[in-house]
Amino acid sequence: MEPCLENVKAIRRSKEEKKLLRKQIKASHTLLKHEGISTVSKPTKDYIISLQSLVVANGGLGNGVSREQLQVVLGEGGDVETLIMHPHKPYALVTYRTEVSAQRGHVLLNGRQLQCGDQVVTLYLSYVDTVDSESGVCAVLPPGLVLVEEFVSLEEEALLLDAIDWKSHDEEVTVQKALKHRRVKHYGYEFRYDNNNVDKDKPLPGGLPQACVFVLERCVRDRHVKVMPDQLTVNQYQAGQGIPPHVDTHSAFEEPILSLSLGAKTVMDFRHPDGRSVAVVLPGRSLLVMKGESRYLWTHGITPRKFDVVPACDPESPVAVTSDFSNHSNLTLSRRGTRTSLTFRNVRRTPCDCAHPSACDSQQAPPSPPSLPRSQTDACRLEAEYVHSVYEEIAGHFSSTRHSPWPRVCHFLSSLEPGSIVADVGCGNGKYLGVNPEVFAMGCDRSCALVQICSERGFQAFVSDALSVPLRSDICDACISIAVIHHLSTQERRQAAVEELVRLLRPGGRALIYVWALEQEYNKQRSKYLKETREQAPPDDHNQETRDSPVKLSVHTNRTAFNSQDLLVPWHLKDGGIKKGGRVSKMTKDPPIDTKSPVLAPCPVFHRFYHVFQQGELEELCARITGVMVQCSYHDQGNWCVILEKTRDR
């Protein structure tokens, strides 16, 4: 015989039961505060509420609890009529067929612990109003998007996977890279991630793998594509890996884009610029065809996570689900495994003339690069936009990449006498201010945001231009200027920056200066900056200013040798690095991050001005300054460096 509610009320609670009740009440308060769900621990005559419907706190897809696992546990109470699990929510709503079953489930399952992967979750059940099971409508796929399930057989899938030799690094056939969130191979043409394009004049001699021919012939036969693709990118994703939202560069590839999924299934998120989103389940052995709007306008990406929310195994289940999908009675979790995708494309030979010019790089006028300054006013304007404002915007991300002090700078600081006064002019995030605790170190920087980071770290720092530091002359025993002077755009301003360091020094004081070197390979050693072996571009013989035609600055390709001394160097701002309200440089190709969107927008790109010094140039600059002596000069990991000594009062 089932216990009635009155008998339950009369039971004297133990210490453990009281503890459980407190946690149950806390979970109910959390549901009310964050989800607007009103609950009670048990129905009373004064509170009219359903006797069959319960909310299961902590028992949701957002907590890693699958539908199948929760159904088994809830079944201990009796027959379940409906179970609603919202995507990414930490709770579930259950309605039992009878009041008695709901009561039994409430008594038996409160405090029940579930092992969900590598974590343990505790369920807390409370009564709620009647739960409506909405029917909902399947989300509409983006226009032009087609998903063909079981495009290849299990045997064909195995053959394709065996044909991809990840141990081979034959650059004559393929280009293989290990990216941060996946590893890739390129066939036919190398896809360049530094400019999101291909070099159409440099095909890879091996072409596409012979093992893929039957797939391409089938695509042509089924009219998914008119001609055989000539470029293939193979991506391998381990569980938890993904790819940021993006639109394949219009000028690089024709339509359609074909993506064959092998191995584990995953969810690919499509997002329209107006905010509409569709999460498309890609089963193993399926072919995704992107044409028209879905290829040219909607971003597509895979969120890095180990579980996806998908329809439960049911032949009648819809393929597409969205974040606001109204029928939550058939969703569950799918653990990701290793997935390999084969993306086939045709390299475009003519400019793109698609119907989406706002998203088309072929139909947008390229931004005009700035010119080398011809006056003091021009120089100030250039540095304000391409140095000062950029560092203000990227300060957080920049600081996160600047955490390891360079050893030879540390050696210089550690060699100073205890009690020495040291000025770090252009201190950035202050990583050198705490190297030697026995000296009094103060820093200054043009970026308010970087100075704020110094302050938060407990360092003495203030906002100042490197050309006019608000300190008395002859006050410092030592000064350092690390990676600062190369941001000044004229020789006169670079010399003035060195003179300002000398002004701060007392007679006998020393200054250490680092600037970026044109020669990134010195004494047969390549700097760490040159990560990849690339063909070096020829020197830019035209980068000479004339009175009639000022020279336009070129944009440098990261991780390659420099081909001119004055250039713009891209900074790719990573997720979360942009401050609220931040803008993007005029020389940026990507839009800013949409902080209101749950889907990450492409990372913006900023451009910083640099004058990279050639061998001997820094010493020549210092030789023009009276009252100083160059103690030593050296090349350190792609930088030219000098140590100056102030020899007398100036």
Side-chain angles (χ1 to χ4, degrees), residues 267-301:
V267 171
M268 179 171 284
D269 298 306
F270 284 80
R271 187 174 184 84
H272 190 277
D274 65 9
R276 286 177 288 154
S277 63
V278 181
V280 181
V281 180
L282 303 181
R285 301 185 290 114
S286 66
L287 178 72
L288 190 68
V289 184
M290 289 184 278
K291 295 182 180 180
E293 190 174 299
S294 68
R295 181 267 181 266
Y296 290 121
L297 191 59
W298 292 62
T299 64
H300 61 279

Side-chain angles (χ1 to χ4, degrees), residues 330-359:
N330 198 35
L331 298 180
T332 188
L333 293 178
S334 171
R335 179 184 287 272
R336 286 189 186 173
T338 300
R339 172 180 175 266
T340 302
S341 68
L342 278 60
T343 301
F344 299 99
R345 297 173 283 208
N346 279 101
V347 173
R348 183 182 291 279
R349 303 295 174 181
T350 58
C352 177
D353 60 352
C354 68
H356 309 285
S358 63

Side-chain angles (χ1 to χ4, degrees), residues 403-414:
H403 45 76
S404 299
W406 291 342
R408 297 189 72 165
V409 179
C410 293
H411 180 267
F412 174 84
L413 293 171
S414 299

Side-chain angles (χ1 to χ4, degrees), residues 351-496:
C352 177
D353 60 352
C354 68
H356 309 285
S358 63
C360 182
D361 61 319
S362 290
Q363 301 180 60
Q364 292 179 351
S368 177
S371 303
L372 275 174
R374 305 177 69 178
S375 67
Q376 180 79 356
T377 301
D378 290 345
C380 292
R381 185 182 299 115
L382 176 70
E383 292 164 19
E385 181 169 355
Y386 291 94
V387 181
H388 304 160
S389 65
V390 172
Y391 278 101
E392 200 65 29
E393 299 288 359
I394 70 173
H397 181 218
F398 176 82
S399 177
S400 70
T401 66
R402 298 300 190 269
H403 45 76
S404 299
W406 291 342
R408 297 189 72 165
V409 179
C410 293
H411 180 267
F412 174 84
L413 293 171
S414 299
S415 68
L416 301 175
E417 293 290 331
S420 296
I421 298 175
V422 182
D424 184 350
V425 179
C427 62
N429 67 352
K431 70 176 181 180
Y432 292 112
L433 295 178
V435 166
N436 185 351
E438 296 186 351
V439 303
F440 177 77
M442 52 187 166
C444 65
D445 200 279
R446 186 61 175 73
S447 167
C448 296
L450 287 172
V451 169
Q452 178 64 30
I453 292 173
C454 292
S455 177
E456 292 170 355
R457 293 179 171 183
F459 298 133
Q460 298 291 328
F462 53 90
V463 177
S464 171
D465 194 294
L467 298 179
S468 181
V469 181
L471 294 175
R472 294 199 312 268
S473 300
D474 306 323
I475 193 176
C476 296
D477 298 290
C479 293
I480 61 174
S481 173
I482 311 301
V484 176
I485 294 176
H486 51 217
H487 285 309
L488 297 167
S489 55
T490 66
Q491 179 177 291
E492 293 76 17
R493 292 170 68 79
R494 294 188 284 272
Q495 180 174 328

Side-chain angles (χ1 to χ4, degrees), residues 407-416 477-482 498 501-502 505 508-515 618-619 622-623 628-636 640-647:
R408 297 189 72 165
V409 179
C410 293
H411 180 267
F412 174 84
L413 293 171
S414 299
S415 68
L416 301 175
D477 298 290
C479 293
I480 61 174
S481 173
I482 311 301
V498 179
L501 293 174
V502 175
L505 290 174
R510 296 182 298 158
L512 173 63
I513 302 172
Y514 268 58
V515 293
L618 183 57
E619 292 92 325
C622 296
V628 297
M629 176 183 65
V630 176
Q631 282 192 342
C632 67
S633 62
Y634 55 92
H635 188 274
D636 183 16
W640 288 117
C641 321
V642 299
I643 296 180
L644 299 178
E645 180 182 350
K646 186 173 181 177
T647 57

Side-chain angles (χ1 to χ4, degrees), residues 174-240:
T174 178
V175 174
Q176 180 171 323
K177 299 179 185 296
L179 303 182
K180 184 177 181 181
H181 296 296
R182 64 193 190 282
R183 58 178 179 174
V184 301
K185 274 180 174 285
H186 302 294
Y187 296 87
Y189 292 83
E190 177 189 1
F191 184 80
R192 295 280 298 273
Y193 293 100
D194 52 2
N195 60 7
N196 291 326
N197 215 312
V198 295
D199 190 336
K200 301 171 185 178
D201 298 323
K202 292 184 179 180
L204 298 173
L208 270 59
Q210 187 64 28
C212 296
V213 171
F214 79 91
V215 175
L216 302 180
E217 290 178 342
R218 189 173 300 169
C219 290
V220 173
R221 183 199 66 197
D222 294 348
R223 299 183 179 180
H224 296 306
V225 66
K226 293 180 180 178
V227 296
M228 298 276 279
D230 56 7
Q231 197 274 337
L232 166 63
T233 296
V234 181
N235 289 280
Q236 186 183 78
Y237 304 88
Q238 302 296 330

